[in-house]
Amino acid sequence: MTTIGDLPEDVLVELLSLLPARELIRSCRLVCSQWRYVVDLNTLWKRKCQRDGFYHQSLDRSISDWKIFYILLLLKKNLIKNPRAEENFQHWTIDQNEGDKWKIEELPGAHGSHMPDPKVQKYFVTSYGPCFKSQLITLDKEGYWNQLMDEKRPEITVKDWYAARFDCGCRYELTVRLLSKDYLVLEEFHPEPVVIEQWSDAQWREISHTFQNYPAGVRYIWFQHGGHDTQYWAGWYGIRVTNSSITIGPQT
């Protein structure tokens, strides 16, 4: 009698590639030595990438581990929670809240402009005193286990959007830190503050940075942004921020 174990390797690859990644790793890989061998094959994970639309022929020369490539794309999401002010200030830690404090407004706002992405409807706005807010991301809670971060060191891409009012100058700052388990700073992105003069075009601009080849031991990502207006007007004339994101993994 023929059993599944008698199937040719290419047929077994095709069948197992139909299963979810979690089942392959947690269950199928433990069935027997033959299945463990097949589940670990690059060809199986490349087939899964093809099935799920992750594959392009141009990737053949650059991808050495299709299993990790597939898992990173499967995990990929925005790790910043409530980036568009849709849940008030939920998930954000208010680090500084001076002047008339942080506020949420709807786009385009007074003397403002719309975002390039029409799905973004709200933004956070600062006042005449320093206003900063932050999030701390725990990587293993998001599915990025320690060995993955230490051995593969996948790209970490940070993006943020900021804008000024047309009628008031303001200042914008961003700091992103990769932290160890003891919260030591292993790498940091902290560009020079952006100062926007009064009577600007009030357009939304994106700032972006990708961490690559960072030290082993990254367990947390700390993201902080904010600023204030430069003319010290009562109300909410400072920098506006929204649509922040942190993603891990291939850019494809």
Side-chain angles (χ1 to χ4, degrees):
M1 183 178 69
T2 302
T3 67
I4 194 170
D6 299 320
L7 293 173
E9 182 180 294
D10 59 337
V11 176
L12 195 53
V13 164
E14 193 68 20
L15 288 174
L16 291 178
S17 70
L18 293 166
L19 297 175
R22 183 183 293 268
E23 294 303 316
L24 287 171
I25 295 169
R26 293 191 175 184
S27 301
C28 298
R29 200 174 177 277
L30 305 178
V31 169
C32 62
S33 59
Q34 183 197 19
W35 280 36
R36 182 170 67 251
Y37 168 77
V38 172
V39 168
D40 288 344
L41 283 174
N42 239 353
T43 51
L44 182 144
W45 295 95
K46 184 175 178 178
R47 185 72 184 102
K48 286 191 70 62
C49 286
Q50 291 168 331
R51 286 186 182 281
D52 290 2
F54 296 156
Y55 174 78
H56 191 276
Q57 193 172 0
S58 63
L59 295 171
D60 280 337
R61 292 183 179 180
S62 58
I63 305 302
S64 59
D65 190 332
W66 285 94
K67 177 182 176 182
I68 293 299
F69 179 76
Y70 180 87
I71 289 172
L72 284 171
L73 286 175
L74 208 61
L75 286 171
K76 199 167 186 178
K77 62 181 177 180
N78 186 0
L79 300 178
I80 294 286
K81 297 176 174 61
N82 186 28
R84 302 173 176 178
E86 293 165 343
E87 303 171 77
N88 199 18
F89 287 96
Q90 190 173 347
H91 304 295
W92 291 97
T93 297
I94 304 299
D95 302 314
Q96 282 188 271
N97 210 15
E98 298 183 28
D100 284 322
K101 304 181 179 181
W102 280 100
K103 187 185 179 185
I104 292 170
E105 295 179 345
E106 293 190 4
L107 281 157
H111 298 281
S113 58
H114 284 285
M115 280 280 296
D117 185 348
K119 295 192 293 291
V120 183
Q121 297 293 320
K122 295 182 178 181
Y123 58 84
F124 304 94
V125 58
T126 61
S127 187
Y128 61 87
C131 294
F132 289 90
K133 61 185 179 67
S134 63
Q135 284 193 32
L136 181 69
I137 296 159
T138 304
L139 292 172
D140 63 356
K141 288 184 179 179
E142 302 295 342
Y144 298 94
W145 62 97
N146 295 350
Q147 186 180 7
L148 173 69
M149 297 304 299
D150 292 349
E151 293 183 3
K152 301 301 178 181
R153 310 207 192 157
E155 292 182 346
I156 301 171
T157 300
V158 179
K159 296 182 180 181
D160 200 22
W161 286 82
Y162 64 91
R165 288 174 59 118
F166 168 70
D167 59 347
C168 188
C170 60
R171 177 185 173 107
Y172 164 78
E173 292 186 51
L174 172 68
T175 305
V176 185
R177 293 172 179 162
L178 307 186
L179 305 176
S180 71
K181 66 176 182 179
D182 298 320
Y183 303 99
L184 299 176
V185 178
L186 300 179
E187 199 154 312
E188 179 179 82
F189 174 61
H190 180 59
E192 286 293 314
V194 177
V195 178
I196 302 173
E197 300 297 333
Q198 188 181 26
W199 316 125
S200 71
D201 59 12
Q203 293 298 304
W204 285 91
R205 288 177 170 80
E206 182 186 55
I207 186 169
S208 177
H209 177 75
T210 299
F211 292 97
Q212 297 173 308
N213 303 316
Y214 45 83
V218 174
R219 300 294 178 262
Y220 305 96
I221 303 172
W222 184 73
F223 176 102
Q224 185 195 61
H225 64 179
H228 55 86
D229 85 53
T230 55
Q231 290 164 243
Y232 302 97
W233 292 353
W236 298 274
Y237 291 82
I239 197 71
R240 302 168 171 188
V241 291
T242 193
N243 207 31
S244 313
S245 69
I246 295 176
T247 54
I248 296 178
Q251 298 303 303
T252 181

Coordinates of all heavy atoms in Angstrom, one line a residue, residues 71-136:
I71 N 8.4 34.3 6.2 CA 7.9 34.6 7.6 C 7.9 36.1 7.9 O 7.0 36.6 8.4 CB 8.8 33.8 8.6 CG1 8.4 32.3 8.5 CG2 8.5 34.3 10.0 CD1 9.3 31.4 9.4
L72 N 9.0 36.8 7.4 CA 9.1 38.2 7.6 C 7.9 38.9 6.9 O 7.4 39.9 7.4 CB 10.4 38.7 7.2 CG 11.6 38.5 8.1 CD1 12.9 38.9 7.5 CD2 11.4 39.2 9.5
L73 N 7.6 38.5 5.7 CA 6.5 39.1 4.9 C 5.2 38.8 5.6 O 4.3 39.6 5.6 CB 6.6 38.7 3.5 CG 7.7 39.3 2.6 CD1 7.7 38.7 1.2 CD2 7.6 40.8 2.5
L74 N 5.1 37.6 6.1 CA 3.8 37.2 6.8 C 3.6 38.0 8.1 O 2.5 38.4 8.4 CB 3.9 35.7 7.1 CG 2.6 34.9 7.2 CD1 1.9 35.0 5.9 CD2 2.8 33.5 7.6
L75 N 4.7 38.3 8.8 CA 4.6 39.1 10.0 C 4.4 40.6 9.8 O 4.0 41.3 10.7 CB 5.9 38.9 10.9 CG 6.1 37.6 11.6 CD1 7.5 37.5 12.2 CD2 5.1 37.4 12.7
K76 N 4.8 41.0 8.6 CA 5.0 42.5 8.3 C 3.7 43.3 8.6 O 2.6 42.9 8.0 CB 5.5 42.7 6.9 CG 6.1 44.1 6.7 CD 6.8 44.2 5.4 CE 7.5 45.5 5.3 NZ 8.3 45.6 4.0
K77 N 3.8 44.3 9.4 CA 2.7 45.2 9.7 C 3.2 46.4 10.3 O 4.4 46.5 10.6 CB 1.7 44.5 10.7 CG 2.4 44.2 12.0 CD 1.4 43.5 13.0 CE 2.1 43.1 14.3 NZ 1.2 42.5 15.2
N78 N 2.4 47.4 10.5 CA 2.9 48.7 11.1 C 2.9 48.4 12.6 O 1.8 48.1 13.3 CB 1.9 49.8 10.8 CG 2.4 51.1 11.4 OD1 3.5 51.2 12.0 ND2 1.7 52.2 11.2
L79 N 4.0 48.5 13.2 CA 4.2 48.2 14.7 C 3.8 49.4 15.5 O 3.6 49.3 16.8 CB 5.6 47.8 15.0 CG 6.1 46.6 14.3 CD1 7.6 46.3 14.6 CD2 5.3 45.4 14.6
I80 N 3.6 50.6 14.9 CA 3.1 51.7 15.7 C 1.5 51.6 15.7 O 0.9 51.4 14.7 CB 3.4 53.1 14.9 CG1 4.9 53.3 15.0 CG2 2.7 54.2 15.6 CD1 5.5 53.7 16.3
K81 N 1.0 51.7 16.9 CA -0.4 51.6 17.1 C -1.1 52.9 17.2 O -0.5 53.9 17.7 CB -0.7 50.8 18.4 CG -0.2 49.3 18.4 CD -0.5 48.6 19.7 CE -0.1 47.2 19.6 NZ 1.3 46.9 19.3
N82 N -2.2 53.1 16.6 CA -3.0 54.3 16.5 C -2.1 55.4 15.9 O -1.9 56.5 16.5 CB -3.4 54.7 17.9 CG -4.3 56.0 17.9 OD1 -5.0 56.3 16.9 ND2 -4.3 56.7 19.0
P83 N -1.6 55.2 14.7 CA -0.7 56.2 14.1 C -1.4 57.4 13.5 O -0.8 58.4 13.3 CB 0.0 55.4 13.0 CG -1.0 54.4 12.6 CD -1.7 54.0 13.9
R84 N -2.7 57.3 13.3 CA -3.5 58.3 12.6 C -4.5 59.0 13.5 O -5.4 59.6 13.0 CB -4.2 57.8 11.4 CG -3.2 57.1 10.4 CD -4.0 56.4 9.3 NE -3.1 55.8 8.3 CZ -3.6 55.1 7.3 NH1 -4.9 54.9 7.1 NH2 -2.7 54.6 6.4
A85 N -4.3 58.9 14.8 CA -5.1 59.6 15.8 C -6.6 59.2 15.7 O -7.5 59.9 16.1 CB -5.0 61.1 15.6
E86 N -6.8 58.0 15.3 CA -8.2 57.5 15.2 C -8.7 57.0 16.5 O -9.9 56.8 16.7 CB -8.3 56.4 14.1 CG -8.0 56.9 12.7 CD -7.7 55.7 11.7 OE1 -7.4 54.6 12.2 OE2 -7.8 56.0 10.5
E87 N -7.8 56.8 17.5 CA -8.2 56.3 18.8 C -7.8 57.3 19.9 O -7.3 56.9 20.9 CB -7.7 54.9 19.1 CG -8.0 53.8 18.0 CD -7.2 52.6 18.2 OE1 -7.6 51.8 19.2 OE2 -6.2 52.3 17.5
N88 N -8.0 58.5 19.6 CA -7.6 59.6 20.5 C -6.1 59.4 20.8 O -5.3 59.3 19.8 CB -8.4 59.5 21.8 CG -8.3 60.8 22.6 OD1 -8.0 61.9 22.1 ND2 -8.7 60.8 23.9
F89 N -5.6 59.4 22.0 CA -4.2 59.2 22.3 C -3.9 57.8 22.8 O -2.8 57.6 23.4 CB -3.7 60.3 23.3 CG -3.6 61.7 22.8 CD1 -4.7 62.5 22.9 CD2 -2.5 62.1 22.0 CE1 -4.6 63.8 22.4 CE2 -2.5 63.3 21.5 CZ -3.5 64.2 21.7
Q90 N -4.8 56.9 22.6 CA -4.5 55.5 23.0 C -3.2 55.0 22.4 O -2.9 55.2 21.3 CB -5.7 54.6 22.6 CG -5.7 53.2 23.3 CD -7.0 52.5 23.0 OE1 -7.9 53.0 22.5 NE2 -6.9 51.2 23.2
H91 N -2.5 54.2 23.2 CA -1.2 53.5 22.9 C 0.0 54.5 22.9 O 1.1 54.1 22.8 CB -1.3 52.9 21.5 CG -2.4 51.9 21.4 ND1 -2.4 50.7 22.2 CD2 -3.5 51.8 20.6 CE1 -3.5 50.0 21.8 NE2 -4.2 50.7 20.9
W92 N -0.3 55.8 23.0 CA 0.8 56.8 23.1 C 1.1 57.2 24.5 O 0.2 57.3 25.3 CB 0.5 58.0 22.3 CG 0.4 57.8 20.8 CD1 -0.7 57.6 20.1 CD2 1.5 57.8 19.9 NE1 -0.3 57.4 18.7 CE2 1.0 57.6 18.6 CE3 2.9 58.0 20.1 CZ2 1.8 57.5 17.5 CZ3 3.7 57.9 18.9 CH2 3.2 57.6 17.7
T93 N 2.4 57.3 24.8 CA 2.8 57.9 26.1 C 3.2 59.4 25.9 O 4.0 59.7 25.0 CB 4.1 57.2 26.6 OG1 3.8 55.8 26.9 CG2 4.6 57.8 27.9
I94 N 2.5 60.2 26.6 CA 2.8 61.7 26.5 C 4.0 62.0 27.4 O 3.9 62.0 28.6 CB 1.5 62.5 27.0 CG1 0.3 62.1 26.1 CG2 1.8 64.0 26.8 CD1 0.4 62.3 24.7
D95 N 5.1 62.4 26.7 CA 6.3 62.7 27.4 C 6.4 64.1 27.8 O 6.9 64.4 28.9 CB 7.5 62.3 26.5 CG 7.5 60.8 26.1 OD1 7.2 60.0 27.0 OD2 7.7 60.6 24.9
Q96 N 6.0 65.0 27.0 CA 5.9 66.4 27.3 C 4.6 67.0 26.7 O 4.2 66.6 25.6 CB 7.1 67.2 26.7 CG 8.4 67.1 27.5 CD 9.5 68.0 27.0 OE1 10.2 67.6 26.1 NE2 9.5 69.2 27.6
N97 N 4.0 67.9 27.5 CA 2.6 68.3 27.1 C 2.5 69.8 27.6 O 1.6 70.1 28.3 CB 1.6 67.4 27.8 CG 0.3 67.3 27.0 OD1 0.3 67.7 25.8 ND2 -0.8 66.8 27.6
E98 N 3.3 70.6 27.0 CA 3.3 72.0 27.5 C 2.5 73.0 26.6 O 1.9 72.5 25.6 CB 4.8 72.5 27.6 CG 5.5 71.6 28.7 CD 7.0 72.1 28.9 OE1 7.2 73.3 28.7 OE2 7.8 71.3 29.3
G99 N 2.5 74.2 26.9 CA 1.7 75.2 26.2 C 0.2 74.8 26.4 O -0.2 74.6 27.6
D100 N -0.6 74.7 25.3 CA -2.0 74.3 25.5 C -2.1 72.8 25.2 O -3.3 72.3 25.0 CB -2.9 75.1 24.5 CG -3.1 76.5 25.0 OD1 -3.3 76.7 26.2 OD2 -3.1 77.5 24.2
K101 N -1.0 72.1 25.2 CA -1.0 70.6 25.2 C -1.3 70.1 23.8 O -1.8 70.8 22.9 CB -1.9 70.0 26.2 CG -1.6 70.5 27.7 CD -2.5 69.9 28.7 CE -2.1 70.4 30.1 NZ -2.9 69.8 31.1
W102 N -1.1 68.8 23.7 CA -1.4 68.1 22.4 C -2.9 68.2 22.1 O -3.7 68.2 23.0 CB -1.0 66.6 22.5 CG 0.4 66.2 22.4 CD1 1.3 66.0 23.4 CD2 1.1 66.0 21.1 NE1 2.5 65.6 22.8 CE2 2.4 65.6 21.4 CE3 0.7 66.1 19.8 CZ2 3.3 65.3 20.5 CZ3 1.6 65.8 18.8 CH2 2.9 65.4 19.1
K103 N -3.2 68.1 20.9 CA -4.6 68.1 20.4 C -4.7 67.3 19.2 O -3.8 67.1 18.4 CB -5.1 69.5 20.2 CG -6.6 69.6 19.9 CD -7.0 71.1 19.5 CE -8.5 71.2 19.2 NZ -8.8 72.6 18.7
I104 N -5.9 66.8 18.9 CA -6.2 66.0 17.6 C -7.1 66.9 16.8 O -8.1 67.4 17.3 CB -6.8 64.6 17.9 CG1 -5.7 63.7 18.6 CG2 -7.3 64.0 16.7 CD1 -6.3 62.5 19.1
E105 N -6.8 67.0 15.5 CA -7.7 67.8 14.6 C -7.9 66.9 13.3 O -7.2 66.0 13.0 CB -7.0 69.1 14.2 CG -6.8 70.0 15.4 CD -6.2 71.3 15.0 OE1 -5.5 71.4 14.0 OE2 -6.2 72.3 15.9
E106 N -8.9 67.3 12.6 CA -9.2 66.6 11.3 C -8.6 67.4 10.1 O -8.5 68.6 10.1 CB -10.7 66.6 11.1 CG -11.4 65.7 12.1 CD -12.9 65.4 11.8 OE1 -13.4 65.9 10.7 OE2 -13.6 64.8 12.6
L107 N -8.1 66.6 9.2 CA -7.5 67.1 8.0 C -8.5 67.9 7.1 O -9.7 67.5 7.1 CB -6.9 66.0 7.2 CG -5.5 65.5 7.7 CD1 -5.2 64.1 7.2 CD2 -4.4 66.5 7.2
P108 N -8.2 68.9 6.4 CA -6.8 69.5 6.4 C -6.4 70.4 7.5 O -5.3 70.8 7.6 CB -6.8 70.3 5.1 CG -8.2 70.8 5.0 CD -9.1 69.6 5.5
G109 N -7.4 70.8 8.4 CA -7.1 71.7 9.5 C -7.0 73.1 9.0 O -6.9 73.4 7.8
A110 N -7.1 74.1 9.9 CA -7.0 75.5 9.6 C -5.6 75.8 8.9 O -4.6 75.4 9.4 CB -7.1 76.4 10.8
H111 N -5.6 76.5 7.8 CA -4.4 76.8 7.0 C -3.5 75.6 6.8 O -2.3 75.7 6.9 CB -3.7 77.9 7.8 CG -4.4 79.2 8.0 ND1 -4.6 80.1 7.0 CD2 -5.1 79.7 9.0 CE1 -5.3 81.1 7.4 NE2 -5.7 80.9 8.7
G112 N -4.1 74.5 6.5 CA -3.4 73.3 6.3 C -3.6 72.7 4.9 O -4.3 73.3 4.0
S113 N -3.2 71.5 4.7 CA -3.4 70.8 3.4 C -3.7 69.3 3.6 O -3.5 68.8 4.7 CB -2.2 70.9 2.5 OG -1.0 70.4 3.2
H114 N -4.3 68.7 2.6 CA -4.6 67.3 2.8 C -3.3 66.4 2.6 O -2.4 66.8 2.0 CB -5.6 66.9 1.7 CG -7.0 67.3 2.0 ND1 -7.8 66.7 2.9 CD2 -7.7 68.3 1.4 CE1 -9.0 67.3 2.9 NE2 -9.0 68.3 2.1
M115 N -3.4 65.2 3.2 CA -2.4 64.2 3.1 C -2.4 63.6 1.7 O -3.5 63.5 1.1 CB -2.6 63.1 4.1 CG -2.1 63.4 5.5 SD -0.3 63.2 5.6 CE -0.1 61.4 5.3
P116 N -1.3 63.1 1.1 CA -1.3 62.3 -0.1 C -2.2 61.1 0.0 O -2.8 60.7 -1.0 CB 0.2 62.0 -0.4 CG 0.9 63.0 0.4 CD 0.1 63.3 1.6
D117 N -2.2 60.5 1.1 CA -3.1 59.3 1.4 C -4.4 59.7 1.8 O -4.6 60.2 3.0 CB -2.4 58.4 2.4 CG -3.2 57.0 2.6 OD1 -4.3 56.9 2.1 OD2 -2.6 56.1 3.2
P118 N -5.5 59.5 1.0 CA -6.8 60.0 1.4 C -7.4 59.2 2.6 O -8.4 59.7 3.2 CB -7.7 59.8 0.2 CG -6.9 58.7 -0.6 CD -5.5 58.9 -0.3
K119 N -6.8 58.1 2.9 CA -7.3 57.3 4.1 C -7.0 58.0 5.4 O -7.6 57.7 6.4 CB -6.8 55.9 4.1 CG -7.3 55.1 2.9 CD -6.9 53.6 3.0 CE -5.4 53.3 3.0 NZ -4.8 53.6 1.7
V120 N -6.0 58.9 5.4 CA -5.6 59.6 6.6 C -6.5 60.8 6.8 O -6.6 61.7 6.0 CB -4.1 60.0 6.6 CG1 -3.7 60.7 7.9 CG2 -3.2 58.9 6.3
Q121 N -7.3 60.7 7.9 CA -8.3 61.8 8.2 C -8.0 62.7 9.3 O -8.6 63.7 9.5 CB -9.7 61.1 8.4 CG -10.2 60.3 7.2 CD -10.5 61.2 6.0 OE1 -11.1 62.2 6.2 NE2 -10.2 60.7 4.8
K122 N -7.1 62.3 10.2 CA -6.8 63.1 11.4 C -5.3 63.2 11.7 O -4.5 62.4 11.1 CB -7.4 62.4 12.7 CG -8.9 62.4 12.6 CD -9.5 61.8 13.9 CE -11.0 61.8 13.9 NZ -11.6 61.2 15.2
Y123 N -4.9 64.1 12.5 CA -3.5 64.3 12.9 C -3.4 64.8 14.3 O -4.4 65.3 14.9 CB -2.8 65.3 11.9 CG -3.4 66.6 11.9 CD1 -3.1 67.6 12.8 CD2 -4.3 67.0 10.9 CE1 -3.6 68.9 12.8 CE2 -4.8 68.3 10.8 CZ -4.5 69.2 11.8 OH -5.1 70.5 11.8
F124 N -2.2 64.6 14.9 CA -1.9 65.2 16.2 C -1.2 66.5 16.0 O -0.4 66.7 15.1 CB -0.9 64.2 17.0 CG -1.4 62.8 17.1 CD1 -1.0 61.8 16.2 CD2 -2.2 62.4 18.2 CE1 -1.4 60.5 16.4 CE2 -2.6 61.1 18.4 CZ -2.2 60.2 17.4
V125 N -1.5 67.5 16.8 CA -0.9 68.8 16.7 C -0.4 69.3 18.0 O -1.0 69.1 19.1 CB -1.9 69.8 16.0 CG1 -3.2 70.0 16.9 CG2 -1.3 71.2 15.8
T126 N 0.8 70.0 17.9 CA 1.4 70.5 19.1 C 1.1 72.0 19.4 O 0.5 72.6 18.5 CB 3.0 70.4 19.0 OG1 3.4 71.2 17.8 CG2 3.4 68.9 18.7
S127 N 1.5 72.5 20.5 CA 1.2 73.8 20.9 C 2.5 74.7 21.0 O 3.5 74.3 20.4 CB 0.5 73.8 22.3 OG 0.0 75.1 22.6
Y128 N 2.4 75.8 21.8 CA 3.6 76.7 21.9 C 4.7 76.2 22.8 O 5.8 76.8 22.8 CB 3.1 78.1 22.2 CG 2.4 78.3 23.5 CD1 3.1 78.5 24.7 CD2 1.0 78.2 23.6 CE1 2.5 78.6 25.9 CE2 0.4 78.4 24.9 CZ 1.1 78.6 26.0 OH 0.5 78.7 27.2
G129 N 4.4 75.2 23.7 CA 5.4 74.6 24.5 C 5.8 73.3 23.9 O 5.0 72.7 23.2
P130 N 6.9 72.7 24.3 CA 7.3 71.4 23.8 C 6.3 70.3 24.1 O 5.8 70.2 25.2 CB 8.6 71.1 24.6 CG 9.1 72.4 25.0 CD 7.9 73.3 25.3
C131 N 5.9 69.6 23.0 CA 5.0 68.5 23.1 C 5.6 67.3 22.4 O 6.0 67.4 21.2 CB 3.7 68.9 22.3 SG 2.7 70.2 23.1
F132 N 5.8 66.2 23.2 CA 6.4 65.0 22.6 C 5.6 63.8 23.1 O 5.2 63.8 24.3 CB 7.9 64.9 23.1 CG 8.8 65.9 22.4 CD1 9.0 67.1 23.0 CD2 9.4 65.5 21.2 CE1 9.9 68.0 22.4 CE2 10.3 66.5 20.6 CZ 10.5 67.7 21.2
K133 N 5.5 62.8 22.3 CA 4.8 61.6 22.6 C 5.6 60.4 22.0 O 6.3 60.5 21.1 CB 3.4 61.6 22.2 CG 3.2 61.7 20.7 CD 1.6 61.8 20.4 CE 1.4 61.9 18.9 NZ 1.7 60.7 18.1
S134 N 5.4 59.2 22.6 CA 6.3 58.1 22.2 C 5.5 56.8 22.4 O 4.5 56.7 23.0 CB 7.5 58.0 23.1 OG 7.2 57.8 24.5
Q135 N 6.1 55.8 21.7 CA 5.7 54.4 21.9 C 6.9 53.5 22.0 O 7.9 53.7 21.4 CB 4.9 53.9 20.7 CG 3.5 54.4 20.6 CD 2.6 53.7 19.6 OE1 2.7 52.5 19.4 NE2 1.6 54.4 19.1
L136 N 6.8 52.5 22.9 CA 7.8 51.5 23.1 C 7.3 50.1 22.5 O 6.3 49.6 23.0 CB 8.2 51.3 24.6 CG 9.3 50.3 24.9 CD1 10.6 50.8 24.3 CD2 9.4 50.0 26.4

